[in-house]
Amino acid sequence: MNSMCTKQNEDKKNLVNKDYEIVKWIGAGAYGTVYEAIYNPLKSPCAIKCYQGLFLDSHTIRQNAREIEILSKIKHPNIIHTYDVLRGNEKSKNDAFLILELCHNDLHRTIYSLSLIHISEPTRPLYISYAVFCLKKK
């Protein structure tokens, strides 16, 4: 598959378009690859989540469209802000890009940090559930 959404891709400068310059690869998950980037017109940091092959089949479109829709509608100070959703260029026409607020932490690190403050493994899900409940109440 010809995709711009791989860690190995050498042409990171124009991953999305000339307005965004990739700084570094952050990580990858089930739904995409995430890069730290700079939005050149404002010289502001952002994150770019690249959905590889999003437009290849209807199942993939439905699966990823739910995440994009939810993230673009959520407005909460404790959840990263979605700035834009862009379709790939000619080189990556089956890819989509979610432009996000850059966050220097992730859920895995947060959960792991709970073990550092001596919250036992069986109790951690309760703390996480409580935190999510508190977010819903605000």
Side-chain angles (χ1 to χ4, degrees):
M1 178 188 313
N2 183 22
S3 175
M4 302 293 281
C5 296
T6 60
K7 184 180 180 183
Q8 296 77 25
N9 176 24
E10 296 300 319
D11 184 25
K12 297 288 192 299
K13 207 139 189 91
N14 294 314
L15 180 70
V16 179
N17 63 40
K18 64 181 179 356
D19 288 340
Y20 296 93
E21 184 175 338
I22 301 301
V23 174
K24 68 179 182 179
W25 178 85
I26 295 175
Y31 293 119
T33 304
V34 181
Y35 299 95
E36 181 177 337
I38 298 292
Y39 178 59
N40 287 322
L42 299 176
K43 301 291 184 217
S44 60
C46 63
I48 298 176
K49 183 167 188 179
C50 180
Y51 293 87
Q52 182 176 353
L54 178 67
F55 300 104
L56 290 177
D57 62 73
S58 61
H59 173 73
T60 306
I61 291 171
R62 278 193 311 275
Q63 187 177 26
N64 292 304
R66 276 194 301 268
E67 181 183 22
I68 292 170
E69 181 181 10
I70 290 168
L71 285 173
S72 64
K73 288 183 178 178
I74 293 175
K75 304 288 185 248
H76 191 279
N78 295 335
I79 298 174
I80 58 171
H81 180 74
T82 301
Y83 297 128
D84 205 353
V85 180
L86 304 171
R87 185 137 188 202
N89 57 27
E90 191 55 41
K91 290 182 183 177
S92 59
K93 60 185 173 189
N94 288 317
D95 300 338
F97 302 94
L98 195 57
I99 312 301
L100 303 162
E101 174 183 9
L102 182 62
C103 179
H104 293 286
N105 206 347
D106 62 36
L107 185 57
H108 181 265
R109 271 190 245 166
T110 302
I111 292 169
Y112 175 74
S113 71
L114 293 175
S115 67
L116 299 178
I117 57 173
H118 307 294
I119 297 173
S120 66
E121 182 72 36
T123 313
R124 264 183 237 153
L126 294 173
Y127 280 92
I128 294 167
S129 297
Y130 178 71
V132 170
F133 173 76
C134 289
L135 288 175
K136 288 181 179 180
K137 295 294 254 178
K138 286 187 176 183

